[in-house]
Amino acid sequence: MKFLVIGGDAAGMSAASRAKRNRPDLEVTVLEKTMDVSYSACGMPYNIAAPDRDMDTLVVRKADVFREKQGINLLTGHNAQFLDPARRVVEGTVSGGRDFSLPYDRLLIATGASPVVPQVEGVDLPGVFPLKSLEDGRKIKQYLAENTVKKAFIAGMGFIGLEMCEALMERGISVDMIRRSGNFIPWLPMDMCRFVRTEAEKRSVGMHFNQGLKRIEKTEKGLKVVTTALEFEADLVILALGVTPNSDFAVKAGIEVGKHQELSVNRALECSVEHVYAAGDCADAYHVVTGEKTWIPLALRANRAGWAVADTVCGTRTELPGVAGTAVFKFFDLQVARTGLSYDEAVASGFEAVEETVKTRSRAHGHPGSGDIWVQMVGDRRSGRLLGAFMAGKEGVAHRINAPAVALSARMNVSDYIQSDLAYAPPFGPVWDPTLTAAIQLAKKME
């Protein structure tokens, strides 16, 4: 049987590797349009912060390892452009212009997502970069090495924007940032937003809201960025305005998509066309809280979905329950995390939402080094279910968010979560874990 995979990063290479491990006799071919496969894209801002680190240290496994040790027919520089489901054939071009045509018995589309690049003047100027692929990271790092960069401008304040802000300031570069709306981190409670913004203000980050990118101009001094009502001088511009799924290839073949143009799949990752699967940032998922379709492109889901497709292709049909949208990011000394639904998202999904926010300590009373930790929990008054949790603090956030994430997957009630037997030691937290304290206060409001 011929198993063809389009896309050589998280979902694609996870699927190819597991399929070949499950069934060594399987003919596994992977098409990757770039020359890079299997790398840690999430590590790029931290790599950029360190001038002496090679960007290629983020490569998890080199292409030749997949070819020589695992027996995978990995074809880099192969751009898939046309899918014919009736004939079960994928066609495209190789770097240099040669055409190719490959048949398949089972096909996985794992084409990922691309950075949003606004259609405004100047986005193609030297010194203006998105950050999504490893090659993007190389170009930014090379530009920093070859040019004197004192001022940077970042369009966007999502995960990548905030992480790049920290990375550039680590290198002594001042940063101005814009966001089109007036909300800093829209899913974060207002008290926590102020907490995070204070950290940015302490570092003299220029944060400008209700500003859209209008154009970028080349000047004698470098670059001029023009927004809705402001102008900025910059030596470097980072476009961090989000991502969009790479689905055009599949859409042309008649495969169904969701509202963000993400490929629509069932719990077994099957597309609307027979024998075709989709996984990773190009595909949707079911939300474990709402049971509805959602598009939350994150690394763990991509790897897990690749495994599931491989198992199904090898004869063990595998379905995934879904995602909770669990995520965490570092912003200077702070950790900020979320899982599940915010209060507004819960209301929009039809729940009788109740929220409670607490500020407590990251370590036991009297233990040195303790700091503030903010926790918000959201529940449903009708059913008693826990719906979401949000945290911010200088320590104890990144891994603490995993407990409510597991509770969401288990569909636990708030009262059940309060009875969870969580670990305690003074250097790591109070006797009553901050999430338990938040759950107790939330339960009182839900009565």
Side-chain angles (χ1 to χ4, degrees):
M1 184 170 68
K2 294 179 172 64
F3 180 35
L4 180 61
V5 178
I6 304 173
D9 200 9
M13 295 318 301
S14 291
S17 297
R18 189 172 178 89
K20 198 66 178 176
R21 186 164 56 249
N22 289 347
R23 281 189 51 184
D25 63 317
L26 198 66
E27 185 178 322
V28 180
T29 299
V30 179
L31 306 176
E32 169 53 47
K33 68 178 181 179
T34 73
M35 303 307 292
D36 296 309
V37 298
S38 191
Y39 57 89
S40 174
C42 300
M44 288 192 292
Y46 308 103
N47 184 287
I48 290 168
D52 296 332
R53 283 180 59 195
D54 192 319
M55 187 61 65
D56 284 358
T57 60
L58 296 177
V59 174
V60 178
R61 189 173 298 171
K62 294 183 178 180
D64 285 345
V65 175
F66 290 107
R67 296 179 183 121
E68 296 168 8
K69 292 190 176 181
Q70 296 181 255
I72 295 169
N73 183 26
L74 173 55
L75 304 175
T76 53
H78 282 59
N79 185 17
Q81 296 170 313
F82 178 74
L83 165 63
D84 186 342
R87 293 167 49 225
R88 295 198 208 175
V89 168
V90 171
E91 298 175 348
T93 57
V94 184
S95 299
R98 179 171 56 87
D99 295 336
F100 71 83
S101 178
L102 289 171
Y104 67 85
D105 296 303
R106 299 292 184 273
L107 173 68
L108 169 60
I109 301 173
T111 45
S114 293
V116 173
V117 178
Q119 299 299 304
V120 300
E121 177 186 344
V123 292
D124 56 350
L125 285 171
V128 181
F129 303 96
L131 180 60
K132 183 65 173 69
S133 69
L134 199 62
E135 187 60 23
D136 293 334
R138 291 192 191 102
K139 289 177 179 177
I140 292 172
K141 203 152 191 184
Q142 181 179 1
Y143 188 85
L144 288 168
E146 296 176 352
N147 296 273
T148 300
V149 178
K150 296 182 178 180
K151 297 179 181 179
F153 176 89
I154 300 176
M157 294 186 194
F159 289 4
I160 292 296
L162 294 174
E163 289 167 353
M164 278 303 298
C165 172
E166 178 182 352
L168 294 171
M169 295 193 77
E170 285 286 320
R171 298 185 60 152
I173 300 168
S174 66
V175 174
D176 280 291
M177 312 179 73
I178 62 166
R179 183 173 177 84
R180 183 175 292 278
S181 74
N183 296 329
F184 176 31
I185 305 174
W187 46 264
L188 202 62
M190 193 62 66
D191 288 342
M192 292 192 209
C193 271
R194 282 194 290 267
F195 181 58
V196 179
R197 280 192 67 174
T198 299
E199 183 72 11
E201 290 163 359
K202 285 194 312 187
R203 310 278 178 161
S204 299
V205 178
M207 308 190 87
H208 310 277
F209 296 88
N210 298 305
Q211 297 295 316
L213 183 62
K214 293 185 70 175
R215 65 181 181 276
I216 305 169
E217 301 173 3
K218 180 69 176 173
T219 69
E220 292 183 0
K221 295 181 178 180
L223 298 168
K224 181 171 76 171
V225 181
V226 181
T227 68
T228 305
L230 300 170
E231 294 184 358
F232 302 88
E233 289 185 357
D235 305 305
L236 171 74
V237 174
I238 301 294
L239 303 175
L241 296 165
V243 297
T244 185
N246 294 325
S247 59
D248 288 351
F249 163 86
V251 170
K252 291 174 183 175
I255 294 176
E256 292 180 5
V257 295
K259 65 179 181 179
H260 301 288
Q261 294 299 295
E262 72 279 16
L263 301 182
S264 181
V265 296
N266 62 16
R267 294 188 184 276
L269 291 309
E270 295 167 324
C271 292
S272 59
V273 170
E274 194 176 14
H275 307 307
V276 179
Y277 305 82
D281 290 359
C282 64
D284 65 11
Y286 289 88
H287 201 290
V288 295
V289 177
T290 66
E292 302 295 327
K293 287 292 192 77
T294 187
W295 181 57
I296 306 176
L298 292 171
L300 179 57
R301 165 69 182 192
N303 283 278
R304 179 175 287 140
W307 279 21
V309 171
D311 289 346
T312 297
V313 166
C314 292
T316 304
R317 181 179 174 83
T318 302
E319 297 186 353
L320 298 180
V323 298
T326 308
V328 61
F329 69 91
K330 178 181 177 294
F331 188 52
F332 297 107
D333 290 338
L334 298 186
Q335 303 168 19
V336 184
R338 70 166 294 169
T339 188
L341 302 181
S342 69
Y343 175 82
D344 289 341
E345 290 167 342
V347 171
S349 296
F351 292 102
E352 189 177 338
V354 181
E355 61 181 333
E356 178 63 23
T357 302
V358 301
K359 183 175 77 168
T360 182
R361 305 299 289 171
S362 62
R363 304 184 188 184
H365 177 74
H367 194 89
S370 181
D372 290 339
I373 183 169
W374 293 80
V375 181
Q376 185 196 63
M377 283 196 160
V378 181
D380 178 39
R381 192 188 303 275
R382 285 192 296 266
S383 66
R385 279 182 65 193
L386 180 65
L387 302 179
F390 302 81
M391 297 185 206
K394 289 190 175 182
E395 65 172 14
V397 169
H399 297 294
R400 186 170 266 122
I401 195 68
N402 290 329
V406 171
L408 293 178
S409 291
R411 300 177 65 85
M412 288 176 67
N413 285 346
V414 175
S415 58
D416 296 327
Y417 186 83
I418 292 170
Q419 298 303 319
S420 298
D421 189 17
L422 304 184
Y424 160 66
F428 306 114
V431 173
W432 290 96
D433 183 86
T435 62
L436 295 178
T437 299
I440 290 167
Q441 297 305 315
L442 177 61
K444 293 176 181 177
K445 290 182 72 172
M446 291 171 61
E447 291 175 353

